Amino acid sequence: MTRSIRRLSVVLALLLIALLVNVTIIQVYRSDDYRARADNQRVLLEEYGRERGPILVGADPVARSVETAGTLRYLRVYPEGEKYASVTGFYSIVYGATGLERTENDVLSGSSDLFFVDRLQQLIAGRQPRGGAVTTTIDARAQNAAWRGLQGTRGAVLAIEPSTGRILAQVQAPSFDPNILSSHDPAAIRDYYESLLDDSAQPLINRPIVALNPPGSTFKIVTAAAALASGRFTPDSVLPGPAEYDLPLSTRTLRNWTGEECGPDEQVTLIEALAQSCNTAFAWLGNELGADALREQAEAFGFDTAFTTPLRASTSRFPDSPDAPQTALSAIGQFDVRATAMQMAMVTAGIGNNGVVMEPYLVQEIRGPDLAILRTSAPREFQQAMTSEDAADLVQMMVAVVDRGTAGVLRGITTPDGQVVSVGAKTGTAQTGRDGAPVAWMVALAPATNPQIAVAVAVEDGGDNEVSGNAIAGPIARAVIEAALR
């Protein structure tokens, strides 16, 4: 009996120790994680009693709190809800917070350590604590242009300032109204949320940074960068450009989108191959370079790396071990190559920034309740993706795509004083998109010398050839560029 009691005592002691360890881990080491959980409604209810800080685009709030006469003292409102939903997310009593509402919650709620002195002063003065403000990097004109351009489509736009990595526009279509999800009516919130989940167009997906699609021929700028980096090719190097390319180790063939050869005697220069978006030339080039060289170049631009802006983006990818025919298809952005609009904007921006890829970021400043600047984001270099000399050559190749190639819709862009802007670009159409639908792409940078903006547009259900990229995605890219250069 004594032995049994002793064993039971040991077991109970071990359970008590385990309980104490678990409580310590939860209360000390993981308390911040539990407070930050989107479904922690106790914290949300507590925060509804204080004025939450605004999310700003320039000096204008795209998310702010207004006082009510209800039980919940403050209501979150979004003056231009759907347009900025990809940036702000929502702040819901039922479903928690998403977007910047979630990632910057400690600032917006006023719980950040940055506000310690301010909270102390408010406590002494007997004032209700207030949240701080988050100023985004978004350019309102570029955002407006992207929003207008995407109406009636299913797609995404993301624009970056090449020299810094500042995100200038981030728009999804279709979008959703965060005002409904952030209301004080739980029944209406649930009904609307369920309708969004049931929508086959998936409006809750943050398409610019989450949706992964084959980049199609826009990936040819990555293949071209790898060719220049190899030292074996220049823009004037001559490549085979037949109407059809026999895929190695396969009975399948790859055709050009025009159905014709790319040059006299089935020969074409690298610069003209990019301008015409010659599939057979780039498939051949991919096999000449090899999968390892393509993967190394893609990763130098950010593929296979996870980025937060602070919103978490999907990781764009290049296939692990493609065989020869798969490598040929990968070289033209097909097979298992997948990219977000943000990733293709990063590639384009890196080429325009002398080969240096900057980390994209969405938050410019953190401000206190009195709007005094407490912290400013500094640009951070991701890595040098290519030499400045090769980048300059590739920019000129992309200019040829606009001047005499498949991106003619971008010709003739002018500055406010009437100066014609030189633009570099690449069209693309992926034959296999979401639900098997094609995706029309356009990536572009402007001005070609010292670019101020790099933009990627992806329109799902967008057509089946390079003309689609120019006709469907191109006008949206043009509108965003024109707005950003004003």
Side-chain angles (χ1 to χ4, degrees):
M1 177 68 72
T2 303
R3 182 179 298 176
S4 298
I5 294 174
R6 187 180 300 115
R7 288 177 178 173
L8 180 60
S9 299
V10 171
V11 171
L12 291 175
L14 291 174
L15 290 174
L16 179 61
I17 292 171
L19 177 62
L20 291 174
V21 170
N22 187 52
V23 169
T24 300
I25 290 173
I26 291 175
Q27 293 188 347
V28 177
Y29 296 103
R30 299 189 60 189
S31 59
D32 289 342
D33 292 338
Y34 281 101
R35 283 185 61 84
R37 283 179 55 137
D39 58 354
N40 189 344
Q41 292 195 19
R42 183 183 64 80
V43 174
L44 287 175
L45 286 168
E46 178 184 311
E47 291 177 354
Y48 271 93
R50 70 179 67 172
E51 184 177 0
R52 190 171 176 85
I55 299 174
L56 304 172
V57 171
D60 298 323
V62 293
R64 60 189 178 90
S65 293
V66 297
E67 194 165 4
T68 74
T71 303
L72 300 177
R73 183 175 177 185
Y74 288 99
L75 172 69
R76 200 66 168 163
V77 297
Y78 304 84
E80 298 182 86
E82 293 186 45
K83 184 192 302 182
Y84 286 96
S86 174
V87 174
T88 63
F90 58 78
Y91 182 73
S92 172
I93 192 65
V94 176
Y95 297 109
T98 64
L100 289 182
E101 293 280 25
R102 181 183 66 82
T103 63
E104 304 307 299
N105 180 63
D106 60 340
V107 171
L108 297 169
S109 67
S111 61
S112 170
D113 291 341
L114 291 171
F115 306 147
F116 175 76
V117 174
D118 185 74
R119 287 201 303 271
L120 187 60
Q121 291 174 341
Q122 290 171 345
L123 179 63
I124 294 173
R127 297 195 304 269
Q128 179 69 27
R130 292 185 300 152
V134 173
T135 302
T136 70
T137 58
I138 296 295
D139 180 304
R141 291 170 298 186
Q143 187 84 357
N144 290 341
W147 174 248
R148 289 193 299 268
L150 280 176
Q151 293 308 294
T153 72
R154 186 171 68 176
V157 174
L158 194 133
I160 292 175
E161 183 178 62
S163 62
T164 63
R166 291 172 58 234
I167 295 176
L168 303 177
Q170 181 176 313
V171 177
Q172 67 186 60
S175 187
F176 62 89
D177 187 355
N179 287 292
I180 301 176
L181 293 173
S182 302
S183 74
H184 292 172
D185 185 341
I189 292 170
R190 291 190 179 93
D191 287 345
Y192 184 54
Y193 190 80
E194 289 300 322
S195 72
L196 295 174
L197 290 179
D198 292 339
D199 191 335
S200 61
Q202 299 178 295
L204 285 174
I205 290 180
N206 198 335
R207 277 184 163 80
I209 65 172
V210 171
L212 289 165
N213 284 300
S217 291
T218 61
F219 191 80
K220 289 173 183 173
I221 59 178
V222 177
T223 303
L228 296 175
S230 73
R232 297 166 52 196
F233 300 93
T234 70
D236 296 322
S237 294
V238 177
L239 315 178
E244 293 186 355
Y245 175 68
D246 295 326
L247 293 171
L249 309 176
S250 170
T251 58
R252 294 180 57 194
T253 60
L254 176 69
R255 301 182 63 197
N256 290 320
W257 67 274
T258 62
E260 302 175 353
E261 61 187 49
C262 297
D265 301 321
E266 299 185 344
Q267 301 285 304
V268 64
T269 61
L270 179 56
I271 188 171
E272 289 303 319
L274 190 71
Q276 298 179 37
S277 200
C278 183
N279 288 337
T280 59
F282 273 91
W284 175 88
L285 183 59
N287 278 327
E288 282 293 301
L289 297 169
D292 290 343
L294 293 178
R295 183 183 305 102
E296 181 179 352
Q297 186 62 70
E299 290 177 349
F301 280 118
F303 279 75
D304 299 317
T305 296
F307 291 94
T308 56
T309 67
L311 308 185
R312 185 179 298 277
S314 297
T315 301
S316 299
R317 64 180 186 267
F318 186 87
D320 288 334
S321 301
D323 58 22
Q326 291 167 346
T327 298
L329 294 174
S330 297
I332 62 170
Q334 296 286 168
F335 183 51
D336 281 343
V337 181
R338 294 293 183 272
T340 62
M342 186 180 83
Q343 177 61 75
M344 294 314 299
M346 289 173 63
V347 172
T348 309
I351 294 168
N353 191 38
N354 299 310
V356 178
V357 179
M358 306 299 291
E359 291 196 10
Y361 64 99
L362 186 57
V363 174
Q364 186 62 54
E365 296 169 342
I366 299 299
R367 295 173 176 262
D370 59 355
L371 298 184
I373 298 175
L374 302 180
R375 188 174 68 206
T376 300
S377 298
R380 296 198 309 174
E381 180 179 322
F382 171 61
Q383 66 182 19
Q384 182 96 31
M386 57 194 307
T387 67
S388 58
E389 294 81 8
D390 287 346
D393 284 342
L394 188 47
V395 167
Q396 291 308 307
M397 291 169 63
M398 293 174 68
V399 169
V401 178
V402 175
D403 289 349
R404 57 181 183 272
T406 58
V409 71
L410 299 182
R411 296 176 201 144
I413 293 177
T414 60
T415 61
D417 60 2
Q419 297 296 313
V420 176
V421 176
S422 180
V423 179
K426 183 67 192 81
T427 55
T429 300
Q431 300 303 318
T432 53
R434 195 176 311 282
D435 301 327
V439 182
W441 285 87
M442 176 72 84
V443 297
L445 55 85
T449 302
N450 191 26
Q452 298 174 36
I453 183 172
V455 60
V457 179
V459 178
E460 300 169 25
D461 296 320
D464 58 2
N465 58 45
E466 295 302 301
V467 174
S468 302
N470 185 59
I472 297 174
I476 302 173
R478 181 185 181 110
V480 174
I481 290 171
E482 289 177 329
L485 296 183
R486 288 295 181 260

